[in-house]
Structures are given as C-alpha cells and as structure tokens.
Amino acid sequence: MPTRKPGNTRTVLDNRALNRATLARQHLLTRSGASVPEAVAHLCGLQAQEPQEPFTGLWSRLAAFEPGQLDDALTGRAVVRTHLMRRTVHLVTRDDALAWRGRHDAMLRQRVLGTYRRELAGIDVDEVAAAGRAVMADGQPRTMGELVRTLEDRWPGPPRRVLGELLVAALIPMAQLPPRGLWRQTSGVRNLPLATWLGRDIDPLPTGDDDPVGQRLLRRYLAAHGPAASADLRAWCGLAGLPAAVGAVREELVAFRDERGRELLDLPDAPRPHPDTPAPVRFLPAFDNAILGYHDRGRIIDARHLGLSVAGHRTVLVDGRVTATWAVRDRLLRISPLRPLTAPEQEAVRAEAQDLTAFLDEDIEHVRLDTED
C-alpha cells in the first residue's frame, strides 16, 4: 500500500484495505508464533467479561496454542484479569495493568458514578475507597459481596450491587484471581488489589501536559488496530480521545483518509497489506476486540449486523468480514451464515470448524452449517 509522509491525508484507504490492515495487526491473517503474554501485550489485551472466550480468541491467532499456556500465564501472574478499557473486564499483561490503570482511574469512576448517579448521590467516594482499601489490606481475596458486607453498615443507602461495583470496578484497582478465567473453570470472582497480587503498586501518573501514558496507549493501539481515527481510539479505551497524546506524537505518524473522509492515523512501519491479500476463515469469540476496537466497525462488519458485536454472538470471518455466527450446544457446533456462502467458502468454513472442535474438545459430535433462510 502506498504511504505518505506524516501529515499528508490525500491517500484514501477503503474498507477492504482497512480490513486487511486490521487482520494483519490482530494476527488473523497468519497465526503468530508469539507466546501468550507477548500476544496479549501486542493486542493491548483481550476483552474477557466472558471468562472462556479469550481461549478461542488466542487459538485463532496463535500457532499451536494450548489452553494450559493461558492458564500458566494467569496463575504465574504474567497476565491478569481486571477492569480497564471501557470499564470492561480485560485480560492484560502484568506490566500493562500496572502502567495503564492510573490513566483509566478517572474514567472508571465517572462511568460508575454516571451509571448509578441517583443511587450514589451524596456518597463521599474517597471515603468509601479508603474504607475498602483498609479492608483489603489484610491480603485476603474477597468476593464483591464479602467486601460489601464489611462496609454496608457505614453506607446502608446504596444497593449492595451498586456499592460493590463502585468498589471493585472503579475505586480499588483489583485483580480477579484464578481459578476465574482458567480453562473450563466456572469459579466465581474473587478480588485482590492489583498491587497485592502483582507485588508492586500501580504506576503513578506522570506530571506534564503531553500525557506520556496516553502517548504509549496511542502507539500500542495503532500497532494492534491501526490505521484508526481518534474516535476509534476513544471507543476502544473509553478515554476522552487523548488529544494531548495525539498532538504530541502526530509528527511521528502517517495520516490517511477513509471513505467517509475521516482522518486515520497510523505508525509509519506498521503492516498495511494489499487489499487483495487472501484472508483465511477465522472463528472469533464473543466481544472480540477485532470488532469492538473501533467506533466505525465498517472495516470488518456490515452495518445491518452491528448488533451482533455487542450482543455476545460468536462470529466467523470469511474473506475477513463477519459472515456467520457460531455456537456449541448439545454436542453440535452450529454455524449460521449471514449471507449465502459459495462452495469453496463452505468448504473452508467446515475445515476451520473441524479444527476448532478438536481444540474445544467438548465431545462435539457434529458440525452443522446452516443454509440461509
């Protein structure tokens, strides 16, 4: 793909060009040989509110991935489950959790307080935070309910669920401990402060107006998701566009336009494959960031199917685009196309599905590819 020097926005990248760039950055064109921590770091984390979904996300991206590799990374504290981008549980590396949490702190508070404005009216959140930290200082993991029970006499007004979300999703940087998130485990959430679990305090925010943490977030986001607009960055992380960071690094970046005329920024040497590069079939988990990592998701999913990306449907990429959904029930892996598939496409989908059944190893007896109604 042709590129221009930084600041020149004459080159237009159509959705197919953006699609291939996204697939390349997301390890969805060719499976990577990276380790689990390396992949999680490169991808800027994996959305993980559904604990088992990251396993499929990594299987679709890594060569010879085995579930035990992620289990080992979680129990070995190389990766951690925590509330971060968009106040959603993400699987991120130890270093990213410690480096990024302070930059997300204000957003996490604002989102909880905005959601429960009426229920939390009049609450001194700093006082609640201090009380919660004092309880957790004994180093004992607690469920959200257990933590709330220690404090509800002091704050009897808010519903217990609301007070719990305020504490564990906003006020106290928490890790969700294993066995939560391990392969085929159905354990509930037990929380421990990140600093306790990882053995080091979260990084303090640097002083200054050029937002160095935001700059690193921007570069990392573009490496995994670019080319992208400021609105895409904001939709991914939930922060307010990082204008100071964008301004500070703009001269390092190349600029394009999409078909809508939006300015897209990118790292100069990041991969932008030719739009005609073949894209293999890939099975994605629910809430995959290859789809949710953008404000404008047109590069990977049609507008009429956007609801699938936020409703928890697992999806299938055919020629790089969301073309089917999939689910496993009653020993059947069922694939439901969103458009008619050609015979070669059907063959490729079935072949990848068979490989997926071998990975999932859930006594799946059949793969069924539905015909479109």
Side-chain angles (χ1 to χ4, degrees), residues 181-209:
L182 299 184
W183 181 239
R184 295 183 178 172
Q185 296 287 333
T186 56
S187 172
V189 178
R190 295 160 55 251
N191 303 285
L192 195 66
L194 277 172
T196 304
W197 179 242
L198 298 179
R200 179 165 69 81
D201 287 339
I202 64 172
D203 295 348
L205 282 180
T207 58
D209 297 329

Side-chain angles (χ1 to χ4, degrees), residues 18-343:
L18 293 175
N19 175 271
R20 292 317 194 249
T22 292
L23 298 181
R25 315 288 173 94
Q26 289 285 312
H27 298 327
L28 292 170
L29 275 184
T30 303
R31 284 183 166 94
S32 169
S35 69
V36 165
E38 289 169 343
V40 172
H42 169 76
L43 296 167
C44 300
L46 290 87
Q47 196 158 332
Q49 69 265 42
E50 296 293 337
Q52 295 297 297
E53 298 303 301
F55 289 93
T56 303
L58 289 171
W59 174 80
S60 287
R61 291 172 163 92
L62 299 183
F65 171 70
E66 297 290 343
Q69 296 168 357
L70 178 52
D71 284 357
D72 289 346
L74 280 163
T75 57
R77 311 187 193 193
V79 300
V80 61
R81 292 172 50 83
T82 188
H83 287 88
L84 204 59
M85 284 75 76
R86 306 183 303 280
R87 195 169 69 89
T88 303
V89 177
H90 273 70
L91 189 70
V92 295
T93 65
R94 164 197 172 92
D95 289 342
D96 286 345
L98 295 168
W100 294 353
R101 182 51 170 80
R103 187 61 181 81
H104 286 75
D105 186 71
M107 178 273 293
L108 294 169
R109 290 189 177 211
Q110 290 165 3
R111 290 211 170 190
V112 174
L113 292 172
T115 301
Y116 301 114
R117 189 178 307 277
R118 178 177 57 82
E119 293 89 342
L120 295 171
I123 294 290
D124 185 328
V125 295
D126 291 330
E127 186 178 347
V128 174
R133 286 194 294 268
V135 172
M136 299 301 299
D138 63 4
Q140 296 302 309
R142 287 177 172 84
T143 67
M144 186 170 72
E146 290 169 344
L147 176 57
V148 169
R149 280 195 291 275
T150 67
L151 302 174
E152 61 184 346
D153 288 346
R154 295 178 60 181
W155 288 279
R160 294 177 64 188
R161 175 73 187 182
V162 173
L163 187 61
E165 284 195 34
L166 178 65
L167 284 161
V168 304
L171 298 185
I172 306 175
M174 292 283 202
Q176 294 187 357
L177 303 194
R180 183 72 169 178
L182 299 184
W183 181 239
R184 295 183 178 172
Q185 296 287 333
T186 56
S187 172
V189 178
R190 295 160 55 251
N191 303 285
L192 195 66
L194 277 172
T196 304
W197 179 242
L198 298 179
R200 179 165 69 81
D201 287 339
I202 64 172
D203 295 348
L205 282 180
T207 58
D209 297 329
D210 57 351
D211 191 6
V213 178
Q215 291 181 40
R216 291 191 287 272
L217 274 170
L218 170 60
R219 293 187 186 98
R220 294 279 300 281
Y221 172 74
L222 292 177
H225 291 85
S230 293
D232 297 318
L233 171 67
R234 183 167 59 249
W236 166 71
C237 64
L239 303 174
L242 307 178
V246 172
V249 304
R250 177 176 288 274
E251 292 305 311
E252 303 174 14
L253 305 177
V254 290
F256 305 96
R257 294 280 174 185
D258 65 11
E259 293 175 305
R260 295 169 49 195
R262 299 188 313 159
E263 182 184 54
L264 306 177
L265 300 176
D266 204 7
L267 302 172
D269 299 326
R272 289 179 288 274
H274 192 280
D276 292 335
T277 301
V281 169
R282 291 289 185 255
F283 281 70
L284 297 185
F287 307 114
D288 194 277
N289 278 353
I291 303 173
L292 295 185
Y294 303 94
H295 173 70
D296 182 351
R297 299 168 186 165
R299 68 180 66 193
I300 199 165
I301 187 170
D302 293 346
R304 66 183 180 277
H305 301 314
L306 281 174
L308 299 173
S309 62
V310 295
H313 290 274
R314 297 162 170 171
T315 58
V316 184
L317 301 183
V318 179
D319 192 26
R321 298 191 64 79
V322 172
T323 305
T325 62
W326 67 278
V328 176
R329 295 187 186 92
D330 301 324
R331 299 187 177 183
L332 172 69
L333 193 158
R334 181 175 180 177
I335 304 158
S336 301
L338 302 171
R339 64 162 174 81
L341 301 179
T342 66

